[in-house]
Amino acid sequence: MKIYVTRRIPAQGITPLAEHEVEIHAEDTPVSHNELVEKIRTADALISLLTDEIDADILGYGKNLKVIANYAVGYDNIDIEEATERGIVVTNTPDVLTDATAEFAWTLLFAATRRLGEGERIARAGKFKGWAPTFLLGQGVRGKTLGVIGAGRIGTRFALMSKGFEMKVFYYDEERNDTLEQELDAKRVDISYLLHASDFVSIHLPLTRYTHHLIDAHQIFRMKSTAVLVNTSRGALVDEKALAAALKAGKIAAAGLDVFENEPQITPELLDTENVVLAPHIGSATHEARSAMAALCSKAVLSVFGGQMPSNIVNKEVWPKRRE
Ligand code: DGY
């Protein structure tokens, strides 16, 4: 079988495929549209990245394509309906990056809340004039209210990590989360209330047509002037221009962002905003997570080739009518 991998990934994603013909786009830039079209024409499997837009047009060229193993938990870069229609199995990389991403959401929460970005810029610019009682004051987190938007795997782990800080926890999700309710006495609330009542808000929802710009000017307006917003999910959940305007006007205290609507471009209004910490989409960037993600991709490809439904399939309904 022929497998095309759109970027160099850890060996765990490649070595198990040794029996097959594997081709890797070995550069550190995303594969071009034309190259992807060319490679997909003959591939039986594709290991793709979240930076590859696999739309209906591209899928149309993949006449032999049986499986797309997306090297990410999010799969908004793939037209799932079209893949399903064409009998192509799609998989993602859940669970293995839950800790890394939840830990990074806390990293951003603390960095934004304690004004680490501003402090770093001052220190590096040689502008540190010595310890001072009112210099770069932030807020403490103990006993404050945490709002978790999306209580799936990562949102749940993120919320559970608040245990040591004795926080009051609100969450917004379509479904009730028994773990959060039992372990943290968390309350499920609507998004408007969550934004209004929380000191810290962290977003953990996938990007869909329903969550695009979920946090817009109108929603930001509901937040406390002392609130901190964190996003490690997908950039397009937040209206970045509205957020930058709110941060500049002091409508909210700070934000920490790992993801952006038009990556790798960052909305210019954010770049000159002091009270936002910007990270270049590194939420899952630990050695452990990235190796395990790679292993899940190769395992999924081999499962499909072997006629076994992978546990991390995202379009289960395709299975009975999948391409063999
Ligand atoms: C994912 O897996 O969707 C993440 O955004 C990668 O860090």
Side-chain angles (χ1 to χ4, degrees), residues 67 73 75 89-96 153 292 295-304 307-316 319:
V67 51
V73 67
Y75 45 87
V89 172
V90 180
T91 65
N92 67 341
T93 60
D95 301 316
V96 295
R153 298 180 200 87
L296 264 188
C297 287
S298 54
K299 193 169 165 211
V301 168
L302 293 176
S303 296
V304 174
Q308 300 290 319
M309 185 164 83
S311 56
N312 50 333
I313 187 170
V314 301
N315 56 345
K316 270 202 181 99
W319 195 251

Side-chain angles (χ1 to χ4, degrees), residues 50 70-76 93 97 101 232-234 258-259 281-285 290 293:
L50 60 89
N70 204 42
Y71 184 70
V73 67
Y75 45 87
D76 48 278
T93 60
L97 46 60
T101 312
T232 51
S233 60
R234 285 291 181 267
D258 183 43
V259 284
H281 204 151
I282 51 173
S284 67
R290 291 285 168 86
M293 287 161 70

